[in-house]
Amino acid sequence: METDTLLFTTIAQSCPGIVRTLTLLIRELTEADLEPATMRMLGERIQRIGEAVSAHAKRSTWDE
């Protein structure tokens, strides 16, 4: 699983904990030996988290 170096560098400037967390998550997912159904459910949950982050960003942009 690749990471977006520029994005992670930008985030690390103000929120290094997020980069540490994402890096750990990516490493763990790469090495995970989970059942396909469990991996799908996890992927769907991570996707919902991403959607919530995107929605928050849109609301923040509109408020500016």
Side-chain angles (χ1 to χ4, degrees):
M1 208 176 294
E2 67 182 57
T3 60
D4 185 327
T5 304
L6 179 58
L7 175 62
F8 277 30
T9 300
T10 301
I11 295 169
Q13 292 173 2
S14 59
C15 301
I18 292 174
V19 174
R20 281 192 302 273
T21 301
L22 290 174
T23 301
L24 178 60
L25 176 61
I26 291 167
R27 184 178 332 123
E28 292 292 327
L29 287 172
T30 301
E31 298 172 1
D33 185 25
L34 299 173
E35 294 291 325
T38 303
M39 187 66 90
R40 269 192 303 282
M41 288 188 298
L42 179 57
E44 290 167 2
R45 179 64 185 134
I46 292 169
Q47 183 176 7
R48 287 195 303 272
I49 293 168
E51 290 166 354
V53 171
S54 293
H56 177 73
K58 287 178 185 176
R59 284 192 304 274
S60 296
T61 301
W62 291 336
D63 292 342
E64 291 180 356

Coordinates of all heavy atoms in Angstrom, one line a residue:
M1 N 0.9 -1.2 0.0 CA 0.0 0.0 0.0 C 0.9 1.2 0.0 O 1.8 1.4 0.9 CB -0.9 0.0 1.3 CG -2.2 0.6 1.1 SD -3.2 0.5 2.6 CE -3.6 -1.3 2.6
E2 N 0.7 2.1 -1.0 CA 1.6 3.3 -1.0 C 1.0 4.4 -0.2 O -0.2 4.5 0.0 CB 1.8 3.7 -2.5 CG 0.6 4.2 -3.2 CD 0.9 4.5 -4.6 OE1 1.4 3.6 -5.4 OE2 0.7 5.7 -5.0
T3 N 1.8 5.4 0.1 CA 1.4 6.6 0.8 C 1.6 7.8 -0.1 O 2.4 7.7 -1.0 CB 2.1 6.8 2.1 OG1 3.5 6.9 1.9 CG2 1.9 5.6 3.1
D4 N 0.9 8.8 0.2 CA 1.0 10.1 -0.5 C 2.0 10.9 0.3 O 1.7 11.6 1.2 CB -0.3 10.8 -0.7 CG -0.3 12.0 -1.5 OD1 0.8 12.7 -1.5 OD2 -1.3 12.3 -2.2
T5 N 3.3 10.9 -0.2 CA 4.4 11.6 0.6 C 4.1 13.1 0.8 O 4.3 13.6 1.9 CB 5.7 11.4 -0.1 OG1 5.9 9.9 -0.2 CG2 6.8 11.9 0.7
L6 N 3.7 13.7 -0.3 CA 3.4 15.2 -0.2 C 2.3 15.5 0.8 O 2.4 16.3 1.7 CB 3.1 15.8 -1.5 CG 2.8 17.3 -1.6 CD1 3.9 18.1 -1.0 CD2 2.4 17.7 -3.0
L7 N 1.2 14.7 0.7 CA 0.1 14.9 1.7 C 0.5 14.6 3.1 O 0.3 15.4 4.0 CB -1.1 13.9 1.3 CG -2.3 13.9 2.3 CD1 -2.9 15.3 2.3 CD2 -3.3 12.9 1.8
F8 N 1.3 13.5 3.3 CA 1.7 13.2 4.7 C 2.7 14.2 5.2 O 2.6 14.6 6.4 CB 2.4 11.8 4.7 CG 1.4 10.6 4.8 CD1 0.1 10.7 4.3 CD2 1.8 9.5 5.4 CE1 -0.8 9.7 4.4 CE2 0.9 8.4 5.5 CZ -0.4 8.5 5.0
T9 N 3.5 14.8 4.4 CA 4.4 15.8 4.8 C 3.7 17.1 5.2 O 4.0 17.7 6.2 CB 5.4 16.2 3.6 OG1 6.2 15.0 3.3 CG2 6.4 17.3 4.0
T10 N 2.7 17.4 4.4 CA 1.8 18.6 4.7 C 1.1 18.4 6.1 O 1.1 19.3 6.9 CB 0.8 18.9 3.6 OG1 1.5 19.1 2.4 CG2 -0.1 20.1 3.9
I11 N 0.5 17.2 6.3 CA -0.2 17.0 7.5 C 0.7 17.0 8.7 O 0.4 17.5 9.7 CB -1.0 15.6 7.4 CG1 -2.1 15.7 6.3 CG2 -1.6 15.2 8.7 CD1 -2.7 14.3 6.0
A12 N 1.9 16.4 8.5 CA 2.9 16.3 9.6 C 3.3 17.6 10.1 O 3.7 17.7 11.3 CB 4.1 15.5 9.2
Q13 N 3.3 18.6 9.3 CA 3.7 20.0 9.8 C 2.8 20.5 10.9 O 3.3 21.2 11.8 CB 3.7 21.0 8.6 CG 4.7 20.6 7.6 CD 4.6 21.5 6.3 OE1 3.8 22.4 6.2 NE2 5.5 21.3 5.4
S14 N 1.5 20.1 10.9 CA 0.7 20.6 12.0 C 0.0 19.5 12.9 O -0.3 19.8 14.0 CB -0.5 21.5 11.4 OG -1.2 20.8 10.5
C15 N 0.0 18.3 12.3 CA -0.7 17.2 13.0 C 0.1 15.9 12.9 O -0.3 14.9 12.2 CB -2.1 17.0 12.5 SG -3.2 18.4 12.7
P16 N 1.3 15.8 13.4 CA 2.2 14.6 13.2 C 1.5 13.3 13.7 O 1.8 12.3 13.2 CB 3.4 14.9 14.0 CG 3.1 16.0 14.9 CD 2.0 16.8 14.3
G17 N 0.6 13.5 14.7 CA 0.0 12.3 15.2 C -0.9 11.6 14.2 O -1.0 10.3 14.2
I18 N -1.5 12.4 13.3 CA -2.3 11.8 12.3 C -1.4 10.9 11.3 O -1.8 9.8 10.9 CB -3.1 12.9 11.5 CG1 -4.1 13.5 12.4 CG2 -3.7 12.3 10.2 CD1 -4.9 14.7 11.8
V19 N -0.3 11.5 11.0 CA 0.6 10.7 10.1 C 1.1 9.5 10.8 O 1.2 8.4 10.1 CB 1.8 11.6 9.6 CG1 2.8 10.8 8.8 CG2 1.3 12.8 8.8
R20 N 1.5 9.5 12.0 CA 1.9 8.3 12.8 C 0.8 7.3 12.7 O 1.0 6.1 12.5 CB 2.3 8.7 14.2 CG 3.7 9.3 14.3 CD 4.1 9.3 15.8 NE 3.2 10.0 16.7 CZ 3.2 11.3 16.9 NH1 4.2 12.1 16.3 NH2 2.4 11.9 17.7
T21 N -0.4 7.7 13.0 CA -1.6 6.8 13.0 C -1.8 6.2 11.7 O -2.0 5.0 11.6 CB -2.8 7.5 13.5 OG1 -2.6 8.1 14.8 CG2 -4.0 6.6 13.6
L22 N -1.8 7.0 10.6 CA -2.1 6.5 9.3 C -0.9 5.5 8.8 O -1.2 4.5 8.2 CB -2.2 7.6 8.3 CG -3.5 8.4 8.4 CD1 -3.4 9.6 7.5 CD2 -4.7 7.6 8.1
T23 N 0.3 5.9 9.2 CA 1.4 5.0 8.8 C 1.3 3.7 9.5 O 1.5 2.6 8.9 CB 2.8 5.7 9.2 OG1 2.8 6.9 8.5 CG2 3.9 4.8 8.8
L24 N 0.9 3.7 10.8 CA 0.8 2.4 11.5 C -0.4 1.6 11.0 O -0.3 0.4 10.8 CB 0.5 2.7 13.0 CG 0.3 1.5 13.9 CD1 1.4 0.6 13.9 CD2 0.0 2.0 15.3
L25 N -1.5 2.3 10.6 CA -2.7 1.6 10.1 C -2.3 0.9 8.7 O -2.6 -0.2 8.5 CB -3.8 2.6 9.9 CG -5.1 2.0 9.2 CD1 -5.7 0.9 10.0 CD2 -6.1 3.1 9.0
I26 N -1.6 1.7 7.9 CA -1.2 1.1 6.6 C -0.3 -0.1 6.8 O -0.5 -1.1 6.1 CB -0.6 2.2 5.7 CG1 -1.6 3.2 5.3 CG2 0.1 1.6 4.5 CD1 -1.0 4.5 4.7
R27 N 0.6 0.0 7.7 CA 1.5 -1.1 7.9 C 0.8 -2.3 8.4 O 0.9 -3.5 8.0 CB 2.6 -0.7 8.9 CG 3.6 -1.8 9.1 CD 4.8 -1.5 10.1 NE 5.1 -0.1 10.1 CZ 5.1 0.6 11.3 NH1 4.8 0.1 12.4 NH2 5.5 1.9 11.2
E28 N -0.1 -2.1 9.4 CA -0.9 -3.2 10.0 C -1.8 -3.8 8.9 O -1.9 -5.1 8.9 CB -1.7 -2.7 11.2 CG -0.9 -2.3 12.4 CD -0.2 -3.5 13.0 OE1 -0.8 -4.6 13.0 OE2 0.9 -3.3 13.6
L29 N -2.4 -3.0 8.1 CA -3.3 -3.6 7.1 C -2.5 -4.4 6.0 O -3.0 -5.4 5.5 CB -4.1 -2.5 6.4 CG -5.2 -1.8 7.2 CD1 -5.8 -0.6 6.5 CD2 -6.3 -2.8 7.5
T30 N -1.3 -3.9 5.7 CA -0.5 -4.6 4.8 C -0.1 -6.0 5.3 O -0.1 -7.0 4.5 CB 0.7 -3.8 4.4 OG1 0.3 -2.5 3.9 CG2 1.6 -4.5 3.4
E31 N 0.1 -6.1 6.6 CA 0.5 -7.4 7.2 C -0.6 -8.2 7.7 O -0.4 -9.3 8.2 CB 1.5 -7.1 8.3 CG 2.8 -6.4 7.8 CD 3.7 -5.9 8.9 OE1 3.4 -6.1 10.1 OE2 4.7 -5.3 8.6
A32 N -1.8 -7.7 7.7 CA -3.0 -8.4 8.3 C -3.3 -9.7 7.6 O -3.2 -9.8 6.4 CB -4.2 -7.4 8.3
D33 N -3.7 -10.6 8.4 CA -4.2 -11.9 7.9 C -5.6 -12.1 8.3 O -5.9 -12.9 9.2 CB -3.3 -13.1 8.4 CG -3.7 -14.4 7.8 OD1 -4.2 -14.4 6.7 OD2 -3.4 -15.4 8.5
L34 N -6.5 -11.2 7.8 CA -7.9 -11.2 8.1 C -8.7 -12.0 7.1 O -8.3 -12.0 5.9 CB -8.4 -9.8 8.2 CG -7.7 -8.9 9.3 CD1 -8.2 -7.5 9.1 CD2 -8.0 -9.4 10.7
E35 N -9.8 -12.5 7.5 CA -10.8 -13.1 6.6 C -11.2 -12.0 5.6 O -11.4 -10.9 6.0 CB -11.9 -13.7 7.3 CG -11.6 -14.8 8.2 CD -11.2 -16.1 7.5 OE1 -11.8 -16.3 6.4 OE2 -10.3 -16.8 7.9
P36 N -11.5 -12.4 4.3 CA -12.0 -11.4 3.4 C -13.2 -10.6 3.8 O -13.2 -9.4 3.6 CB -12.3 -12.2 2.1 CG -11.4 -13.4 2.3 CD -11.3 -13.7 3.7
A37 N -14.1 -11.2 4.5 CA -15.3 -10.5 4.9 C -15.0 -9.5 6.0 O -15.5 -8.4 6.0 CB -16.4 -11.5 5.5
T38 N -14.1 -9.8 6.9 CA -13.6 -8.9 7.9 C -12.9 -7.8 7.3 O -13.1 -6.6 7.7 CB -12.7 -9.6 8.9 OG1 -13.5 -10.7 9.5 CG2 -12.3 -8.7 10.0
M39 N -12.0 -8.0 6.3 CA -11.3 -7.0 5.6 C -12.2 -6.0 4.9 O -12.0 -4.8 4.9 CB -10.2 -7.6 4.7 CG -9.3 -6.6 4.1 SD -8.2 -5.8 5.3 CE -6.8 -6.9 5.2
R40 N -13.3 -6.6 4.3 CA -14.2 -5.8 3.6 C -15.0 -4.8 4.6 O -15.1 -3.7 4.3 CB -15.3 -6.6 2.8 CG -14.9 -6.9 1.4 CD -16.0 -7.5 0.6 NE -16.6 -8.7 1.2 CZ -16.1 -9.9 1.1 NH1 -14.9 -10.1 0.4 NH2 -16.6 -11.0 1.7
M41 N -15.4 -5.4 5.7 CA -16.1 -4.6 6.7 C -15.2 -3.5 7.2 O -15.6 -2.3 7.4 CB -16.6 -5.5 7.9 CG -17.7 -6.3 7.5 SD -18.5 -7.2 8.9 CE -17.1 -8.3 9.4
L42 N -13.9 -3.8 7.5 CA -13.0 -2.8 7.9 C -12.8 -1.7 6.8 O -12.8 -0.5 7.2 CB -11.6 -3.5 8.2 CG -10.5 -2.6 8.7 CD1 -10.9 -1.8 9.9 CD2 -9.2 -3.4 9.0
G43 N -12.6 -2.2 5.6 CA -12.5 -1.2 4.5 C -13.7 -0.3 4.4 O -13.5 0.9 4.2
E44 N -14.9 -0.8 4.6 CA -16.1 0.0 4.5 C -16.1 1.0 5.7 O -16.5 2.2 5.5 CB -17.3 -0.9 4.6 CG -17.5 -1.7 3.3 CD -18.6 -2.8 3.4 OE1 -19.2 -2.9 4.5 OE2 -18.7 -3.5 2.4
R45 N -15.6 0.6 6.9 CA -15.6 1.5 8.0 C -14.6 2.6 7.8 O -14.9 3.8 8.0 CB -15.3 0.7 9.3 CG -15.2 1.6 10.5 CD -16.6 2.2 10.8 NE -16.4 3.1 11.9 CZ -16.9 4.4 11.9 NH1 -17.6 4.8 10.9 NH2 -16.8 5.2 12.9
I46 N -13.4 2.3 7.3 CA -12.4 3.3 6.9 C -12.9 4.2 5.9 O -12.7 5.4 6.0 CB -11.1 2.6 6.5 CG1 -10.5 1.8 7.7 CG2 -10.1 3.6 6.0 CD1 -9.3 0.9 7.3
Q47 N -13.7 3.7 4.9 CA -14.3 4.5 3.9 C -15.2 5.6 4.5 O -15.2 6.7 4.1 CB -15.0 3.7 2.8 CG -15.5 4.5 1.7 CD -16.1 3.6 0.6 OE1 -16.3 2.3 0.8 NE2 -16.5 4.1 -0.5
R48 N -16.1 5.1 5.5 CA -17.0 6.0 6.1 C -16.3 7.1 6.9 O -16.7 8.3 6.9 CB -18.0 5.2 7.0 CG -19.0 4.4 6.2 CD -20.1 4.0 7.1 NE -19.7 3.1 8.2 CZ -19.5 1.8 8.2 NH1 -19.7 1.2 7.1 NH2 -19.2 1.2 9.3
I49 N -15.1 6.7 7.5 CA -14.3 7.7 8.2 C -13.8 8.8 7.2 O -13.9 10.0 7.4 CB -13.1 7.1 8.9 CG1 -13.7 6.2 10.1 CG2 -12.1 8.1 9.4 CD1 -12.6 5.3 10.7
G50 N -13.3 8.3 6.0 CA -12.9 9.2 5.0 C -14.0 10.1 4.5 O -13.8 11.3 4.3
E51 N -15.2 9.6 4.3 CA -16.3 10.4 3.9 C -16.6 11.5 5.0 O -17.0 12.6 4.6 CB -17.5 9.5 3.6 CG -17.3 8.6 2.4 CD -18.4 7.5 2.3 OE1 -19.2 7.3 3.2 OE2 -18.3 6.8 1.3
A52 N -16.5 11.1 6.2 CA -16.8 12.1 7.3 C -15.8 13.2 7.3 O -16.1 14.4 7.5 CB -16.8 11.4 8.7
V53 N -14.5 12.8 7.0 CA -13.4 13.9 7.0 C -13.7 14.8 5.8 O -13.6 16.0 5.9 CB -12.0 13.2 6.9 CG1 -11.0 14.2 6.6 CG2 -11.7 12.4 8.1
S54 N -14.0 14.2 4.6 CA -14.3 15.0 3.5 C -15.5 16.0 3.7 O -15.5 17.1 3.3 CB -14.6 14.1 2.2 OG -13.4 13.5 1.9
A55 N -16.5 15.5 4.3 CA -17.7 16.3 4.6 C -17.4 17.4 5.5 O -17.8 18.6 5.4 CB -18.8 15.4 5.2
H56 N -16.5 17.1 6.5 CA -16.1 18.2 7.5 C -15.3 19.2 6.7 O -15.5 20.4 6.9 CB -15.3 17.6 8.6 CG -14.7 18.6 9.5 ND1 -15.5 19.3 10.4 CD2 -13.5 19.0 9.7 CE1 -14.7 20.1 11.1 NE2 -13.5 20.0 10.7
A57 N -14.4 18.8 5.8 CA -13.6 19.8 5.0 C -14.5 20.6 4.2 O -14.3 21.9 4.1 CB -12.6 19.0 4.2
K58 N -15.6 20.1 3.6 CA -16.5 20.8 2.7 C -17.2 21.9 3.6 O -17.4 23.0 3.2 CB -17.5 19.9 2.0 CG -16.9 19.1 0.9 CD -17.9 18.2 0.3 CE -17.2 17.4 -0.8 NZ -18.2 16.4 -1.3
R59 N -17.7 21.5 4.8 CA -18.4 22.4 5.6 C -17.5 23.5 6.1 O -17.9 24.7 6.1 CB -18.9 21.7 6.9 CG -20.2 20.9 6.6 CD -20.8 20.4 7.9 NE -19.9 19.7 8.8 CZ -19.6 18.4 8.7 NH1 -20.2 17.6 7.8 NH2 -18.8 17.8 9.6
S60 N -16.2 23.2 6.4 CA -15.3 24.2 6.8 C -15.0 25.2 5.7 O -14.8 26.4 5.9 CB -13.9 23.5 7.2 OG -14.2 22.7 8.4
T61 N -14.9 24.7 4.4 CA -14.6 25.5 3.3 C -15.7 26.5 3.0 O -15.5 27.6 2.7 CB -14.3 24.7 2.0 OG1 -13.2 23.8 2.3 CG2 -14.0 25.5 0.8
W62 N -17.0 26.0 3.2 CA -18.1 26.8 2.9 C -18.3 27.9 3.9 O -18.8 29.0 3.7 CB -19.4 26.0 2.9 CG -19.5 25.1 1.7 CD1 -18.8 25.2 0.5 CD2 -20.2 23.9 1.6 NE1 -19.1 24.2 -0.3 CE2 -20.0 23.3 0.3 CE3 -21.0 23.2 2.5 CZ2 -20.5 22.1 -0.1 CZ3 -21.6 22.0 2.1 CH2 -21.4 21.5 0.8
D63 N -17.8 27.7 5.1 CA -17.9 28.7 6.2 C -16.9 29.8 6.1 O -17.0 30.8 6.8 CB -17.7 28.0 7.6 CG -18.9 27.1 7.9 OD1 -20.0 27.2 7.3 OD2 -18.8 26.2 8.8
E64 N -15.9 29.7 5.2 CA -14.8 30.7 5.1 C -15.3 31.9 4.4 O -16.2 31.9 3.6 CB -13.6 30.1 4.4 CG -12.9 29.1 5.3 CD -11.7 28.5 4.6 OE1 -11.4 28.8 3.5 OE2 -11.0 27.7 5.3

